[in-house]
Amino acid sequence: MLRHREGEVMRGLLWELKKVIVGHEQETEEIVVCLLAGGHCLLEGLPGVAKTLTIKTLAEAVDVDFTRIQFTPDLVPSDIVGTRIYRASREEFDIELGPVFTNFVLADEINRAPAKVQSAMLEVMAERQVSIGGQTWAMPRPFLVMATQNPIETEGVYPLPEAQRDRFLVKVLINYPQAGDELEIVRRMSTGAPKPKQVLDAEKLTQLQESASQVYVDPLVMEYAVALVMATRTPNELGFSDIAPYLAVGASPRASLGLIAAARAFALIHGRGYAVPEDVHHLAPAVLRHRLVLTYEALADGVTADDIVTKLLDRVHQPRPAKTRSSLWGRS
């Protein structure tokens, strides 16, 4: 009964987002899953597809502190994490904390920032803390980095390093809306932009995140998640020789942990106290697509990370109660 009530709250949050964001139901759900799982979210899409609007709407529906940082090539780490400031009147230094010290951080066009800024963001995302002047400052709870990037920009862009991409729980792809959805967007905006209602606050969100972390995951579901990740690392050994030429580096153990964390959150949203293999299957593209490093052969053949994940999902069998451990590895 408790899980059902918690699921209703999260579905209410999704409903408020849908008041503003037309279409993109799966993408919106993946963002809420990331929020509930306590991870960070990377949104990629062309200009004008509501990436920033989606994140701002989420911040309005959840009553927490929110900061938007526009990343540019001239940023330095102190612009985002803070710095030491000398007070002449007292002849001593004070610490001025930067804009990342908030609950929700919108890192707009994160791939425009240079290496030193990315390094500072890596500490913020991975350790949830900042080191300034020999002191360590913890981030508030809850804490979520939601970053956007434009896939077609080439001027003033620094590709995110693999280590930083791995810190994002999910990568959500935002595409152009369908004609019917776009017509609805125009209709809604012509009568005044809709506003979401507040559904959660920081305390309630933290409680829901802790509740999601307690959702039961059967060992067979864990094995299924690990099987998918292992297939990205050693495809030849597992009989996926047609995929191997396209993979330079597979997913890390964070991918296995991410699949389970996301599955737990997805189960809670749907009012269940347990995760099932279908949860892992449903969320695998969002959790895995940004963790795979593809070869030049994949680029030449037009093979994307999503293509590879789709093949793996088709061929690594979902477990069933009667299945044995060895039957998880599909063959075609």
Side-chain angles (χ1 to χ4, degrees), residues 90-254:
R90 303 200 308 268
E91 296 185 350
E92 61 183 27
F93 286 93
D94 281 346
I95 301 295
E96 188 73 23
L97 299 178
V100 294
F101 284 88
T102 187
N103 296 116
F104 285 5
V105 178
L106 168 54
D108 223 349
E109 297 187 284
I110 190 173
N111 55 331
R112 289 189 178 275
K116 286 186 177 180
V117 175
Q118 301 295 358
S119 178
M121 283 299 298
L122 185 60
E123 180 186 10
V124 170
M125 294 169 60
E127 308 299 333
R128 299 177 188 261
Q129 66 181 32
V130 166
S131 300
I132 306 173
Q135 300 182 57
T136 299
W137 305 81
M139 310 307 294
R141 291 187 64 196
F143 177 69
L144 173 68
V145 174
M146 294 171 285
T148 69
Q149 64 179 13
N150 183 339
I152 63 171
E153 292 284 0
T154 57
E155 294 292 334
V157 169
Y158 303 81
L160 294 182
E162 285 78 6
Q164 188 169 358
R165 293 205 307 266
D166 201 29
R167 294 300 200 265
F168 287 101
L169 175 62
V170 299
K171 178 180 179 181
V172 180
L173 302 181
I174 308 292
N175 297 312
Y176 283 136
Q178 300 294 323
D181 290 335
E182 190 153 347
L183 182 61
E184 177 63 17
I185 291 170
V186 174
R187 187 193 66 78
R188 289 189 189 184
M189 296 303 294
S190 65
T191 58
K195 295 289 184 181
K197 293 190 301 184
Q198 178 193 331
V199 177
L200 294 171
D201 56 24
E203 182 180 0
K204 182 61 176 177
L205 175 57
T206 302
Q207 292 174 355
L208 286 169
Q209 289 176 337
E210 292 175 352
S211 183
S213 69
Q214 301 302 314
V215 169
Y216 175 73
V217 181
D218 189 84
L220 278 177
V221 178
M222 295 182 183
E223 289 185 19
Y224 178 52
V226 172
L228 287 171
V229 173
M230 292 299 296
T232 69
R233 295 184 208 160
T234 56
N236 273 325
E237 295 178 14
L238 300 174
F240 306 138
S241 57
D242 56 327
I243 297 173
Y246 299 130
L247 280 170
V249 180
S252 75
R254 288 195 190 95

Side-chain angles (χ1 to χ4, degrees), residues 258-293:
L259 283 170
I260 297 304
R264 282 188 162 116
F266 187 80
L268 184 64
I269 289 172
H270 291 273
R272 287 186 274 110
Y274 56 91
V276 295
E278 287 77 7
D279 299 336
V280 174
H281 186 278
H282 180 75
L283 295 164
V287 175
L288 294 177
R289 62 168 58 106
H290 57 295
R291 304 177 194 271
L292 305 182
V293 180

